[in-house]
Amino acid sequence: MRARHGLVILPILLIVSCATAVPRVSPELIAAARARDPDASGEGLERGRDLFTTRCDTCHSLPPPTSHSASEWPGFVASMGKKARLDQVQQDEILRYVLAARSLR
C-alpha cells in the first residue's frame, strides 16, 4: 500500500517542481517583461513559454530560467534556436519569456 502512495505522489511532486521552475505567465511576469521591453504582451509571453517548454525539452532537460545570466541567455537561445529550427520571432518570444521569468526569482 505504501508503494502505491509513492507512485501517486511522485508524479505530483515532479509536476509541482516543474511548474515552479518554469513560472506561468502572470501579471508579475508581464510587468517584469515590460520593464525590459514595453511592447511585451501576455500573449507573446504565453507563446514564448509554450515554445520553451515544448521545443527546448525535446532534445534535453528543460533548463530553469535562472540557469543562465541575463547576458548569457541571448547567445544560448540563438545557438539552440538554430538547432531546433526556430525562426527569429520564436527565438525572441522564448528569450523575452525566459528573461522575465528569471527576474522573478
Side-chain angles (χ1 to χ4, degrees), residues 24-37:
R24 298 209 176 273
V25 174
S26 65
E28 294 82 16
L29 193 128
I30 294 170
R34 286 186 179 154
R36 294 179 76 76
D37 178 0

Side-chain angles (χ1 to χ4, degrees), residues 3 9 24 28 32 39 51 54 65 79 83 94:
I9 293 173
R24 298 209 176 273
E28 294 82 16
D39 295 328
L51 286 164
T54 59
S79 173
K83 292 179 183 181
I94 290 172

Side-chain angles (χ1 to χ4, degrees), residues 2 6 10 18 24 29-30 36 39 45 50-51 53 56 63 68 77 92 94 102-103 105:
R2 264 186 132 90
L10 183 61
C18 288
R24 298 209 176 273
L29 193 128
I30 294 170
R36 294 179 76 76
D39 295 328
L45 292 167
D50 288 344
L51 286 164
T53 58
C56 299
H68 299 286
V77 170
D92 291 345
I94 290 172
R102 88 173 300 288
S103 71
R105 60 180 172 134

